[in-house]
Amino acid sequence: MSLITQIDYGTPASRRSEKLCLTIDGATIEVPEGTSILRAAAIAGVHVPKLCATDSLNAFGSCRLCLVEIEGRPGTPASCTTPVAAGMIVHTQTERLKKLRRGVMELYISDHPLDCLTCAANGDCELQDMAGAVGLRDVRYGYAGANHLADQKDQTNPYFAYDPAKCIVCSRCVRACDEVQGTLALTVAARGFDSRVRTSANEAFFESECVSCGACVQACPTASLIEKSIIDIGQPEHSAVTTCGYCGVGCSFKAEMRGEELVRMMPFKDGQANHGHSCVKGRFAWGYAQHKDRILKPMIREKITDDWREVSWAEAFSHAASALHRIQTKYGRGAIGGITSSRCTNEETFLVQKLVRAAFGNNNVDTCARVCHAPTGYGLKTTFGTSAGTQDFDSVAAADVIVVIGANPTDGHPVFASQMKRRLREGAKLIVIDPRRIDLVRTPHIEAAHHLALLPGTNVALLTAMAHVIVTEGLVNERFVRGRCDLDTYREWRDFVADPARGPEAVEGYTNVPAAEVRAAARLYAKGPNSAVYYGLGVTEHSQGTTAVMAIANLAMATGNIGRPGVGVNPLRGQNNVQGSCDMGSFPHELSGYRHISEDATRALFEAAWNVKLDSEPGLRIPNMLDAACDGRFKGIYIQGEDIAQSDPNTHHVVDGLKAMECVIVHDLFLNETAQYAHVFLPGSTFLEKDGTFTNAERRIQRVRKVMAPRAGLADWEVTLGLAEALGHPMPYEHPSRIMDEIARLTPTFAGVSYEVLDRLGSVQWPCNEKTPAGTPVMHEAGFVRGKGNFVLTEYVPTDERTGPRFPLLLTTGRILSQYNVGAQTRRTQNSAWHHEDRLEIHPHDAEQRGVRDGDWVKLESRAGATALRALVTDRVAPGVVYTTFHHPNTQANVVTSEYSDWATNCPEYKVTAVQVSPSNGPTEWQQQWVKQSENLRHVAHAAK
Ligand code: SF4
Ligand code: SF4
Ligand code: SF4
Ligand code: FES
């Protein structure tokens, strides 16, 4: 492996299609109109010196290093800000230009420390490179300019440092923060030699609005803004392109290494999901891979009260296999099951479901998508025919109206949020439907046209009211509906939503959203002309999650917002491979590609390939497995990369289920909360330690590439193979690419996918087969996958979880930028500097009524249980609504969430829990017990070493 370098073309590519010809240093080249001379030259292989230009940012024209001469034009214009013209003849290397460039460099160097040999950027510094490129040999002004050596470095950010002495005031960082990230946290203060880059309110980076995305660091041509890991370790020597292991955006990174040590995660410019951008998690929060808490040896124990005992892989496999066999002999074939993980690769997920179906001999397999996006799968399949979002991320650039429902993109999907914010700054209109005032509602240069701050649990009523406006005000796209949709279901739906009882005025009383606002938002959405919906778990994690997804699909069909760029229905997937884990057949009723297990022809295909007989009956979902365990009918489980004791609702019930089992096999990086109830622990591997693929929220399949050996000796896919072999069902794959080949053979939507195709194209969006060999960015273009679009009636049924005198407030939950889900990874990084505890957001009015001040401990109690955490008094939440994150196990937010779930998919109703909040002295008894128990577990594990 060598270090992957990418050409910097100096300015962004022109989007225009007309081409023109010009001559640069004697070579004729054809480029799109609107291209800068600097870029055209780079395309022609002529690298004009530059400092303030880089191809991720608009041209700025400040450094004057990229000067060129153009025949017939006076002077020496900057090539970065001068567009090409037909027939132009450009010279980049005349004596006059050389002299001018040297003069410019002399000025820069006279004001720059000359400590290149000890500088962390030595070897990766554009100033150094340019000094060489212009042939600088002397500096006539000496080296004692106003070089700012006394300026204080800013080391406050955990991951990068700012040294003003090395700043050449090129403004690349400021522009990166503005144009790429959209946070506008930086500025250049003062003028001339006194110019300094500063955070906008002149605070330290850590105290500022900076969200640590790293765009400024990446843009900086010197060591002024630089990763601390580069300062500590040195420059990388080899790299591989891989995919972020955190969220469903699926950013591409170059994992840059020195030997076996990861030095830096550098966003990959050709990444088709992120186009070279990143967020703090993927860019910087990779330290967990080396964390001391990693378990690197398999462990077993007879009872959960026993000490863990380290064993060989062979012993762990045979112990697990004999326990599972014993259980099946005693309790029946259906007494065991497995859970796949949306954090694992497609190949690993496919293997786990295959293990359950082929080796366990039942369909008791489920995935953590059960608790997040299962309603998306069901809802979009029913209406459109495919269990996936309709667009690619780039589609947002063509949207005129963007609707964000139950999602918080700047925290949950930050890189896509930056792309969305760019479009909003260009003038697209924004509608936010969320109980909480998320950042997008008002952020630099962006203000939502409408924020419908509905009461948690009323999505369906609100979305149906929007449909009422569209139907009754003549805003339906009749041509689209007539041509593309099932007219019988449309007419039925039209009459249903037209009922005044479903109009904005009728539902205002319980949604808490003024009717006029709903009407205005519905009109804006319907008139687009290109309107796109982006939604998250604030839609799905409800007792009517599936209904809400279908209500969104109805709106898109009625207004014709499907089947072209700029429109669509787009679920923002939480974990990196939620889409993939669902695609791979992780649900108990479906084989890969969403084909029902009861379909004889599909089953026959798999039976022939796997040489087994498959059960035609759907198996148990996660909540059913836990219920069956509590009833004594379910006794063994293999859980790969999932922490159900922390992530699933009603923790007490989950714990009871786990305790009732005879063999719990946890396969994970850390001894997570679930592992407290495990009998076998199989060490997992990080995304850096294995090959495979992830599929992001836009159905994009991307490679995960191994850059270091699995620390525990086996990659996750090899662990599942070991278990399968011990169970007497060997699965002989020599590499994950072979697993993908099998997926492609057995799954029509993946038929054209292979590692060779992914290496060649970078990525593909399924469906990828003989009809669409390069994948499908936008779905349902000519017609819906199911044929005609299917309208579904969306009767609002209030949740059974009601407020009342005992529990008068509604709790809803969400995520924060710096932490990721249950926090297993991010809590083991310096990201905890930003968020080291879960806090309860409460409106000042509700806080005052309860005598609660900001920072006080409060007890949060529901019908299911109680926990305690500190209060954050804020008007981001409306009166009557409280909000918390669930990143820290000691908070135990899921102790209070109810057992109610989506009617179609059992996705838990995390977003609506009736609660009471009262002052408290500190953690509850349950929390204290939990901490003690966890400490015991860790103590025992270490004692066993
Ligand atoms: S890290 Fe990102 S948010 Fe922070 S200043 Fe740099 S570009 Fe702006
Ligand atoms: S910190 Fe770096 S990117 Fe920013 S102005 Fe200074 S040299 Fe340029
Ligand atoms: S946006 Fe998501 S995929 Fe991209 S770097 Fe951040 S966590 Fe990783
Ligand atoms: S690169 Fe063109 S003026 Fe700086």
Side-chain angles (χ1 to χ4, degrees), residues 426-445:
E426 286 168 2
K429 298 278 187 298
L430 174 66
I431 300 167
V432 173
I433 304 177
D434 200 288
R436 194 165 161 263
R437 198 180 64 237
I438 58 169
D439 282 346
L440 265 186
V441 171
R442 181 177 286 181
T443 192
H445 299 296

Side-chain angles (χ1 to χ4, degrees), residues 83 237 259 278 384 411 447 478 566 580 673 737 750 783 877 888 891 944:
E237 53 175 22
S278 60
F384 299 160
D411 282 67
E447 177 146 20
E478 299 284 352
E673 306 309 313
S737 61
F750 274 65
V877 287
H888 293 271
T891 311

Side-chain angles (χ1 to χ4, degrees), residues 160 173 176-177 181 183-186 205 209-217:
F160 61 83
C173 54
C177 195
Q181 165 57 26
T183 294
L184 287 78
L186 299 178
F205 267 91
E209 302 144 291
C210 166
V211 292
S212 287
C213 69
C216 55
V217 182

Side-chain angles (χ1 to χ4, degrees), residues 500-528:
R502 299 191 175 94
E505 291 73 16
V507 303
E508 185 180 75
Y510 47 89
T511 61
N512 268 11
V513 183
E517 276 287 297
V518 179
R519 286 196 177 271
R523 290 175 196 135
L524 183 63
Y525 173 76
K527 289 178 182 167

